[in-house]
Each structure stands twice: as C-alpha cells, then as structure tokens.
C-alpha cells in the first residue's frame, strides 16, 4: 500500500461493516491471527466467549497472537503482560506488586459468530451481519464452500459474482455453453436493502454440483445487501424429496485485507443435496471460484470504476451498472476509482 494512501479504516462504510475473518471451529483458546482492513487482529476465546484484539501488545508492539491464553487471559510472548477479556492489562510479571497503567490495554474490536463464521467489525456497526434467509428459517442445509484469496479489490470480485454473461466462457461445460450465450432481459431494482435482481434465465450444462451433465435452463435471483456481500438463489427446475422446489442459495462475502487483496468466503445452502458431503460441495465450489479468480485478478484497473462511462457496457451489464451507481451513492471508497 502506498505511504500516501489513507488507511483502509478511514473508509466509513467499511469500518461500519461486519466482515468474516475465520471459521468458528478454528478459534479456540489458542490465539489466532487474521488481518482485516490493513489491521492485524488476534482472535481467541476467553471463559466468557469470543474475543478480538488488535494484534499488538501495548508494551513493545509484539504480536499477541504469538502468545498464549493463561487463566482466561491473553499473555504477550515477549514480557508476559497479561490482558483480560476486556483488553485491560492486569499483570506485569516483572513487577508483580505494581498495578498496570490505565494505558496498558489492548485495542478491542467487536466479534460475533453466525453461519459457522467469525465476523468482526473494527468500528461502530451500521448494520447487522448480512442475512442468509434459507438458513435463518431452517429450510436448507448449510455447507461451508471455502475461503478463496483474491489478489484484486472486493468490488471486482462481487461484480463478477452477480454477472451471468461470463458463464458460457469462464465456466464452459459446467455453468454455461458457447452454444447458448444469449442473455434475455431481467429485472434490477435498488432499494434500502441494496440490489435485487430477478427473472434471470441461463442455460447450464451442469447446474449443480450433484446434477449429472445434460443441461437445463436455470432461474437465478440475486441480492446484494451490503457492498461486499452478494447472494444468489438458483432454481434448478427439480423437486426435493419433500416435493418442494429444489433450490440452492450461495452467499459470497469478500473480506478486504488490503486495498487490492481480499478473501472470498463462500456459504451454500441447499434443500435437495443434503445427502452429499461437504467435501463434494467444496470441490465444486473450488472448481467454479478457481475459474473466476484468474479472470478477475487480470482486470485492469483492479479497482472498480464507479463512473459508468469509464468502461463499456451492454444491456446484459445492467446489474453491474446498478451496482456501481449504488456503491457511489453509499460513498464507498475502498476498491473503487471515480
């Protein structure tokens, strides 16, 4: 990052968002290091629950993630300073009788768990964690699809996720075919809950990770509730074992690590392939994301132009155009250029 570029935490939109930073199962009483918005963060569990601190000891700036949890306190690996769950240092091992200074405290952040992930917010949250309705109402089974590195900006990755006209070329033989490239008109709306995209129809040779090749027209609906979170619902034209329409929903949330580096977290909910294992779902997800990543990383500029005229658009790009205008209206600076 350029020395003249403002810190990512100066972006008021990003600082007020919840971002996934780890899988819940990976966080124990052993310190776990992550990075968010250019800030090093340590996650750990105290007897009172999940904790997130800036990964820096107040004494000499050492990474607390190299330390250990002792008696419910996070101890620095350098001089053993111990921090309790609220970030206050309560012990100087070299001076047992001295009460630690009020300045001896770790910077704490908000963290909570949902959908099997740990979400962190470095500022004052402006919204709740983006919802996953199919999981919230209990009609679908939740799968963890994986976490994928993107060497580009988050908005570029999200715009790719909500674009269907690339399917015949980037995902040929699976989600698209060069024999079926036409994109019919569809509906896009922007409201208080973000973007809503409906009535998308595409031909797919293999619509799901569990469907044999043969092809079908598939219906899509997209929603983009937050700038770096998008969700799709796919109707594969079948019924499940209970006679209900077989659908799957996929959520992609891109965690901004650096200005042009992020981690894409994929969650999948299905009401028809619950007999299949998470490894199969993850393999299919890795295939699709693995095809997307090199394309998205090759885009120049890496940051999304919000002035619509800076790149060419056709009618099938109207979701992308609406997304860019919405980001501009929100005032998002991260991963964008004017």
């Amino acid at each position: 990052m350029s020395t003249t570029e403002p810190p990512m935490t100066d972006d008021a939109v990003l600082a007020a968002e919840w971002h996934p930073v780890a899988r819940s199962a990976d966080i124990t009483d052993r310190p776990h290091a992550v990075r968010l918005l250019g800030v090093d963060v340590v996650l750990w569990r105290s007897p009172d629950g999940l904790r997130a601190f800036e990964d820096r000891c107040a004494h000499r700036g050492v990474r607390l993630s190299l330390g250990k949890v002792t008696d419910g306190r996070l101890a620095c690996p350098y001089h053993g300073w111990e921090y309790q769950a609220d970030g206050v240092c309560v012990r100087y091992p070299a001076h047992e009788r001295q009460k630690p200074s009020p300045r001896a405290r770790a910077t704490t952040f908000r963290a909570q768990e949902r959908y099997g992930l740990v979400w962190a917010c470095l500022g004052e949250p402006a919204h709740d964690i983006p919802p996953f309705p199919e999981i919230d109402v209990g009609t679908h089974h939740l799968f963890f699809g994986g976490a994928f590195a993107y060497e580009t900006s988050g908005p570029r990755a999200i715009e790719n996720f909500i674009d269907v006209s690339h399917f015949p070329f980037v995902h040929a033989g699976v989600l698209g075919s060069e024999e079926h490239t036409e994109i019919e008109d569809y509906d896009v709306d922007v409201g208080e809950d973000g973007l809503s995209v409906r009535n998308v129809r595409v031909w797919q040779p293999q619509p799901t990770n569990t469907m044999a090749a043969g092809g079908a027209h598939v219906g899509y609906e997209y929603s983009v509730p937050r700038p770096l979170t998008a969700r799709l619902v796919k109707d594969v034209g079948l019924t499940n074992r209970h006679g209900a329409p077989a659908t799957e929903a996929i959520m992609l949330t891109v965690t901004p690590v650096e200005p042009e580096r992020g981690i894409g977290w994929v969650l999948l909910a299905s009401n028809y392939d619950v007999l299949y294992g998470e490894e199969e779902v993850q393999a299919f997800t890795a295939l699709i994301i693995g095809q997307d990543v090199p394309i998205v990383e090759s885009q120049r500029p890496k940051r999304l132009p919000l002035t619509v005229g800076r790149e060419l658009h056709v009618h099938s790009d109207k979701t992308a155009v609406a997304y860019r205008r919405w980001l501009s209206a929100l005032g998002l600076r991260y991963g964008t250029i004017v």
Side-chain angles (χ1 to χ4, degrees):
M1 186 171 71
S2 169
T3 55
T4 60
E5 189 165 15
M8 296 173 71
T9 49
D10 282 0
D11 189 314
V13 176
L14 280 188
E17 295 285 347
W18 289 100
H19 306 277
V21 289
R23 295 191 72 180
S24 291
D26 292 335
I27 308 305
T28 66
D29 61 356
R30 298 182 56 136
H32 183 94
V34 299
R35 191 164 172 82
L36 173 61
L37 302 183
V39 176
D40 291 315
V41 178
V42 56
L43 305 173
W44 61 288
R45 293 191 189 276
S46 75
D48 299 322
L50 178 69
R51 302 295 164 184
F53 290 178
E54 183 178 1
D55 196 3
R56 179 182 180 278
C57 179
H59 183 209
R60 290 292 182 265
V62 170
R63 287 182 180 270
L64 293 171
S65 58
L66 299 176
K68 61 183 179 181
V69 176
T70 302
D71 297 328
R73 301 168 181 170
L74 181 57
C76 175
Y78 197 12
H79 297 97
W81 285 25
E82 294 183 7
Y83 298 85
Q84 61 188 20
D86 61 0
V88 173
C89 179
V90 294
R91 180 172 178 248
Y92 297 157
H95 306 280
E96 292 285 8
R97 297 182 180 179
Q98 181 178 345
K99 182 179 179 179
S101 165
R103 296 174 55 199
R105 60 183 305 136
T107 299
T108 61
F109 303 118
R110 292 173 176 82
Q112 59 176 307
E113 298 172 89
R114 194 170 301 175
Y115 310 128
L117 299 178
V118 173
W119 303 70
C121 180
L122 301 191
E124 184 70 30
H127 305 272
D128 196 1
I129 289 172
F132 204 154
E134 290 76 11
I135 299 303
D136 296 338
V137 300
T139 58
H140 289 54
H141 181 76
L142 177 65
F143 295 94
F144 175 67
F148 304 90
Y150 283 85
E151 293 295 324
T152 190
S153 67
R156 282 289 196 190
I158 293 296
E159 186 177 89
N160 169 77
F161 182 80
I162 60 178
D163 173 272
V164 296
S165 61
H166 76 281
F167 287 0
F169 307 99
V170 180
H171 307 301
V174 183
L175 299 183
S177 166
E178 291 194 36
E179 297 178 355
H180 301 272
T181 59
E182 191 73 17
I183 302 298
E184 299 178 3
D185 196 19
Y186 56 87
D187 302 313
V188 181
D189 294 306
V190 180
E192 293 182 0
D193 296 326
L195 266 67
S196 175
V197 184
R198 301 179 309 282
N199 302 320
V200 179
R201 297 285 292 175
V202 294
W203 172 266
Q204 297 190 331
Q206 186 185 345
T208 78
N209 57 301
T210 58
M211 181 181 290
H217 277 98
V218 176
Y220 276 81
E221 292 188 356
Y222 288 91
S223 60
V224 187
R226 303 306 311 144
L228 299 181
T229 297
R231 178 177 148 272
L232 68 81
V233 178
K234 181 190 295 190
D235 182 350
V236 299
L238 302 174
T239 56
N240 65 12
R241 55 199 174 111
H242 301 295
T247 61
E248 68 180 29
I250 301 173
M251 178 188 285
L252 171 67
T253 297
V254 180
T255 298
V257 177
E258 302 291 351
E260 296 179 355
R261 181 184 307 157
I263 299 174
W265 300 84
V266 180
L267 298 174
L268 185 144
S270 173
N271 70 351
Y272 64 91
D273 60 0
V274 296
L275 299 180
Y276 290 82
E278 194 163 72
E279 290 184 1
E280 293 166 291
V281 173
Q282 290 176 353
F284 188 79
T285 304
L287 168 67
I288 300 303
I289 299 295
Q291 294 169 337
D292 280 327
V293 166
I295 295 295
V296 174
E297 290 182 341
S298 76
Q299 289 181 285
R300 297 294 183 274
K302 288 180 176 288
R303 305 184 190 196
L304 192 69
L306 297 187
T307 300
V308 174
R310 290 195 61 165
E311 292 186 333
L312 297 176
H313 304 280
V314 293
H315 192 67
S316 57
D317 295 324
K318 65 181 184 178
T319 298
V321 172
Y323 176 59
R324 296 179 187 205
R325 287 174 172 163
W326 179 59
L327 292 184
S328 180
L330 291 178
L332 182 75
R333 297 201 310 268
Y334 157 75
T336 66
I337 56 175
V338 178

